[in-house]
Amino acid sequence: MIEKIHINRSRQKLIIYSIIVIWLLAINLWLFKNSRAKTTLSAFSTAPPHHSSIYNQYDDEVVYKMSQSEIESDLQGLSSTEAGSPVAIKDDFTIQLLQNNLKTKDLRGVDAHAEVYNTIFSNHNIDSIFGNLDFEHRCELYFRNLFLNDHNWAFNPNEDLELIYRDDFAYEDYYRAHSGEIKKKYSEKIDKPEDQINDNDPALKKYIKQEYNSWLNSTRFNEQIVVNGVTTLRIFNKCYISNDNATQVKAMDKFIKNQHNLVSALAASEGERLPSFELTKQESLINLQQSTFEHRVYPWLSFEPPVYESWQGHVYYQPPNLQAIRKGKPQPASKSKSPYFLSQFRDQCNGKGIVLSIGDKHADDTVRLIHLLRALNNKLPIQIVYYDKLSTATKEKIVTAAREPFNSLPRSFAKIAHYFPDDYLTAEENGLPKQDVWFVNTYNVINNEFKDKFKGFGNKFLATLFNSFEEFILVDADTAMMQNPEFFFQLSGYKKSGAFFYKDRSSFEDRKDSDGYFFKKISPSIIDSVMFNIPIITEHTLDREFFRGAFQYMESGLVVLNRKQHYNAMLMMLQLNFYQPVTQRIHGDKEIFWLAMAVSGDERYEFNEYFAAAIGEVTPEADRVRKDGTNAHAKEICSPHPGHINSEDGHSLVWINSGFQFCGQASKIDYDKEYQKNTRLKWLTDANAFKTFYYAPLRISQAVIPPVDIRFRATNTEEEPEKGWHMETEYCNSYMWCAYSSIGGKVEGGGTNTREGTLIEFPQSARDLFAYYGDIWVGLE
Ligand SMILES: *[C@@H]1O[C@H](CO)[C@@H](O)[C@H](O)[C@H]1NC(C)=O
Ligand SMILES: *[C@@H]1O[C@H](CO)[C@@H](O)[C@H](O)[C@H]1NC(C)=O
């Protein structure tokens, strides 16, 4: 009896819920249709087209084609160019409805999708896909069509996609920069001397236009290849690498169910039945062999883990479980159920640690960093990742630095000893705590034919992927931390997101909008978002100064990452390195970390809010007197070291770049010349004083974070700085930078344009600690 009532109750509940759901759907549909009707109407008005591109904004004549695929699918009547023509895939009613339902506002101004989708949507009714297929079948559909288009498909890391004229997308820029050289080419072509051709000759103009069009076409063509490549990667990763993630599975179930309901309701509202889905004959003939699959997507990986070697010389051929080693237990068996190497590898990684990627030339800096880590009371294991080779001499130096007794401390220790715990110096450890150092040889993780792709900056991403930790701090050899490393894992930005980054000096700004446009273009498309729940990027990414002209946004000398949470994005970091249109827009590895996350559809990353500071000592007021005898308003610090102030507390210095010696270039300086310049560091009274100062540890009393001035120059009449940073090429072999605590002042014609930055005075206790760390790093007794 009780059971029966229970059943009746839950059936009642079900009916009520169903009614509510259908009712909500109906409202949703009605609202959506109505709002669409309005936008359609407004298309007849004189308002500019909704989808504007920065390119045709510059030049009306350029009919900017979204991608080669769209040019082609134009012909099939499937899709179209930007300016109001039939229906592009993303403008299909169902897709818009589903996108609308995801509630992510599209702020990008461009949407480019992989060409595979064109094949998929030409073979299938859109509603039949979204109304019927679950996640797994969508994955299969994507890859069936990828292989259908090209049975031999495999990602090609060696494809030559050289980007020429990256800044000149607008015709007028192109004309300004290249008309000269094209005229020369033209004169050779028509065999007439250059000086006899008028610049306004219509035939010449036409020729230049043709050259421009053909350049634009091939640049777009290459961009589409990148779009295709990164789309396939993010879908593969979501479909087959992170598909065992319970959070993802749950979210995906909900996502799919919701879509099925919506599309069914849509059909019902039009008195139709949901069309059924069937694979085409060709699609069904494609055999998706899982084991070969991963090799096609990651042809550059050998699918061998790196070799891990402990400081004692014990060698492991898979990620070692350090906890088991510490307890003297055998290595636990892998629990991974995935058929894929990449998932298995991820699941074997464990624990927390510090990761460096070095070559032999970084040996001395690494030794100093390890001394510093000992002084910081670091308890985390350290993995030194290398690629080509690391000499035995380097390894010996590093192991010695980590393990030798370290008990003669600098005099500066006395002042700060009481800040450390009682067991900081133990008799047993013979001084500062010893470090658990590992060497990771990644040479064999890369297939032979692609090995040369990983020379240089690529190493840092290999270190990111192939260290054995689940959570890690990736540092450069010349990074100097001012906090015990555990501090970085406790940052609330890291705890919240599992990916924490720092910003660079807000100094260079020569980045055109076309760079930002490119990255928006290769980020997840609307179709990725409705098909695979890979969200389009939001203001979290798009509001960053990078998209407003900052050339350097991130400072990658210290990065904190959680592997389990961001594995797919880490794989994207490596992939982006293969594309010249990416690498030619980025200096080294700097921006790739966060851009790869955005491109992979993972915006869960946080930045320390402040841009980098100049750290050291404020220039004496006497040296900053204006012509009228008054003191300058802006405070100045000139220093070769950027430092990073924790924005979560607003005042602590957490790490600095370029080591700890005042001038990292000290051995390359002509000190007589340096002294005779007499414009900076005026309190140093002879060449010898300069030399001593340059070799000594940086002394840190203050920090200046200049106001952000991207694309702004504070021209003023008070001799106040116009820009927040000034690169002082005359000192320390061009490594010196001066930073100002404010810019601007009174302007001609009245008013002011002052912008204030931040000046931080470190308390004596902090200065004493910095002095101790500096002495340790430099090796002062
Ligand atoms: C655009 O460039 C691609 C690749 O360079 C080429 O195959 C294609 O024919 C070009 N299209 C036009 C219309 O020039
Ligand atoms: C699953 O993925 C989410 C992000 O989508 C991540 O936050 C979470 O840590 C992952 N869980 C596991 C167990 O890997």
Side-chain angles (χ1 to χ4, degrees), residues 291-316:
S291 52
T292 56
F293 213 10
E294 195 183 21
H295 288 262
R296 296 285 188 93
V297 180
Y298 290 96
W300 46 277
L301 280 178
S302 68
F303 298 95
E304 253 183 59
V307 179
Y308 301 88
E309 183 189 9
S310 71
W311 61 268
Q312 299 98 322
H314 299 155
V315 171
Y316 296 76

Side-chain angles (χ1 to χ4, degrees), residues 68 71 213-214 217-219 221-222:
Q68 194 62 22
I71 298 172
N213 282 340
S214 119
N217 170 56
S218 66
T219 305
F221 193 86
N222 288 353

